[in-house]
């Protein structure tokens, strides 16, 4: 099937320009372009085939623009929805989100799916008892493929069915954040073969998922075959609620054994992590102690060097003082010797003068 990436990109840009949260519409694009001829088809190479394809694309683009305008108009007219988007997008991840509204249309839920696709702040979402239809659940499940912050999701007491399960399975295979999910009181199976296929897809997604720990499926009309799919899935769940369904006792026993095994693994993993953390802390403490010793040794070395420099400076000053004193003494001795020599010469001269006077 040929998917025009340029057209998909134009659609995404159009969504952004309209102020509506964007979503990767690859699956919807496939549906929109499913009637296009194959790229390798011989008629496609002819000019007529190319004109037909261009006309179909223009028609699809016009239809898309009309849908976006209608959706934007409906979103802007729903003030509670606008306030909810603003509050949920600005809140810190650790805080509880604002309560969801009770009146929502098909387009509103589709916009919510786009919002969840790219949102990075919402951690808890409660959409219980607001009349969600099966197709609307598909929009929400598809958003979980890209969302990486939502931890708890409540979809209980709605009208969700096999389509949700079929889409939730691949979504859980991709999701690496969701930890708790509640789908109580939804006709997921409806006792139909398609319903069992949806439960099978959900079980496969649960087997691939590594973060979901708690799942509630009470009163979902899951039959024995659907129960077998869930019991055979190698999940990481530690809690699953299945009251008011039609599970076989054997499947219930398998689920209980798997949950107990997962719980033991979880506890062992936590103990191992704590032990590892303790070893890391001990190693870090040992490293810190070594660093402290090195710092202390460096400080002592610097203090010793300082003392040595001070001693050397004192000795140098003392030596300089002694040398100066010695030089002064030598200078004084030389001065005295010079004075004595001058006195001796003066006495000698005086003596010669007296001797000459006597001769005369």
């Amino acid at each position: 099937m040929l998917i025009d990436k340029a057209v998909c990109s134009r659609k995404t840009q159009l969504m952004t320009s309209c102020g509506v949260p964007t979503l990767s519409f690859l699956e919807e694009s496939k549906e929109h372009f499913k009637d296009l001829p194959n790229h390798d088809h011989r008629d496609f190479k002819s000019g007529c085939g190319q004109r037909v394809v261009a006309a179909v694309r223009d028609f699809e683009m016009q239809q898309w623009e009309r849908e976006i305008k209608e959706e934007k108009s409906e979103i802007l007219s729903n003030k509670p929805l606008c306030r909810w988007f603003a509050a949920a997008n600005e809140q810190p991840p650790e805080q509880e989100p604002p309560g969801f509204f009770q009146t929502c249309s098909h387009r509103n839920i589709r916009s919510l799916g786009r919002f969840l696709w790219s949102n990075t702040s919402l951690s808890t979402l409660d959409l219980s008892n607001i009349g969600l239809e099966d197709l609307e659940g598909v929009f929400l499940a598809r958003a979980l493929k890209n969302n990486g912050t939502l931890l708890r999701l409540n979809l209980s007491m709605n009208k969700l069915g096999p389509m949700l399960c079929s889409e939730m399975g691949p979504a859980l295979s991709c999701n690496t954040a969701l930890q708790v999910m509640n789908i109580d009181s939804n006709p997921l199976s409806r006792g139909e073969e398609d319903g069992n296929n949806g439960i099978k897809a959900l079980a496969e997604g649960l087997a691939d998922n590594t973060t979901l720990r708690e799942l509630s499926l009470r009163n979902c009309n899951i039959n024995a075959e659907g129960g077998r799919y869930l019991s055979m899935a190698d999940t990481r769940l530690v809690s699953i609620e299945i009251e008011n369904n039609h599970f076989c006792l054997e499947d219930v026993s398998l689920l209980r054994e798997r949950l107990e095994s997962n719980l033991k693994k979880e506890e062992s993993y936590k103990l191992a992590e704590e032990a590892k953390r303790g070893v890391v802390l001990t190693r870090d403490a040992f490293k810190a102690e070594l660093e402290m010793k090195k710092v202390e040794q460096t400080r002592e070395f610097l203090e010793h060097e300082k003392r040595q420099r001070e001693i050397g400076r004192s000795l140098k000053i003392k030596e300089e003082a002694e040398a100066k004193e010695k030089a002064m003494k030598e200078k004084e001795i030389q001065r005295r010797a010079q004075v004595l020599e001058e006195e001796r010469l003066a006495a000698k001269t005086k003596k010669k003068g007296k001797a000459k006077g006597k001769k005369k």
Side-chain angles (χ1 to χ4, degrees), residues 222-337:
I222 301 175
N223 57 24
E225 185 178 355
R228 173 53 59 91
Y229 290 139
L230 291 172
S231 64
M232 296 300 293
D234 186 13
T235 67
R236 277 76 170 174
L237 295 172
V238 296
S239 174
I240 182 170
E241 303 290 340
I242 57 172
E243 289 87 348
N244 297 329
N245 287 295
H246 307 286
F247 283 60
C248 297
L249 293 178
E250 181 182 356
D251 296 333
V252 174
S253 299
L254 287 175
L255 278 174
R256 184 183 297 111
E257 292 176 1
R258 190 174 300 280
L259 292 178
E260 291 176 354
S261 175
N262 289 342
L263 188 59
K264 290 180 181 179
K265 290 179 181 178
E266 190 83 7
E267 292 175 352
S268 300
Y269 176 76
K270 288 182 179 179
L271 291 174
E273 285 295 317
E274 291 177 358
K276 183 178 179 181
R277 193 179 301 111
V279 171
V280 171
L281 290 175
T282 304
R283 186 169 62 247
D284 292 343
F286 180 70
K287 289 182 178 179
E289 186 178 357
L290 288 179
E291 290 295 329
M292 289 296 294
K293 287 183 178 180
K294 289 181 180 179
V295 171
E296 185 67 21
Q297 291 175 357
T298 304
R299 186 179 63 81
E300 291 178 355
F301 175 76
L302 293 176
E303 289 181 354
H304 177 71
E305 289 291 322
K306 184 178 179 180
R307 288 195 299 269
Q308 292 295 326
R309 284 196 300 270
E310 290 177 353
I311 293 172
R313 193 180 300 112
S314 300
L315 291 175
K316 186 176 181 180
I317 293 173
K318 186 177 180 180
E319 290 176 356
E320 289 178 352
E322 291 177 351
K324 188 175 181 181
E325 185 178 358
K326 185 178 180 181
M328 290 178 65
K329 287 181 178 180
E330 291 179 353
K331 190 174 181 180
E332 182 67 19
I333 292 172
Q334 291 177 1
R335 188 183 66 79
R336 288 181 180 180

Side-chain angles (χ1 to χ4, degrees), residues 1-67:
M1 190 68 64
L2 175 64
I3 304 296
D4 194 322
K5 295 183 179 179
V7 175
C8 294
S9 177
R10 286 177 57 196
K11 292 179 179 181
T12 303
Q13 294 175 3
L14 180 61
M15 290 291 295
T16 305
S17 64
C18 290
V20 180
T22 58
L23 170 66
S24 175
F25 286 94
L26 181 59
E27 299 297 327
E28 295 176 357
S29 298
K30 288 181 180 178
E31 293 297 325
H32 285 180
F33 288 93
K34 64 183 179 180
D35 295 329
L36 294 181
N38 190 284
H39 190 279
D40 296 330
H41 196 276
R42 56 185 177 83
D43 294 337
F44 181 78
K45 297 180 180 179
S46 65
C48 179
Q50 293 179 3
R51 287 194 297 273
V52 170
V53 171
V56 172
R57 288 177 179 170
D58 291 340
F59 174 77
E60 292 288 341
M61 196 62 194
Q62 293 173 5
Q63 183 179 3
W64 180 273
E65 292 175 355
R66 184 170 60 255
E67 291 176 358

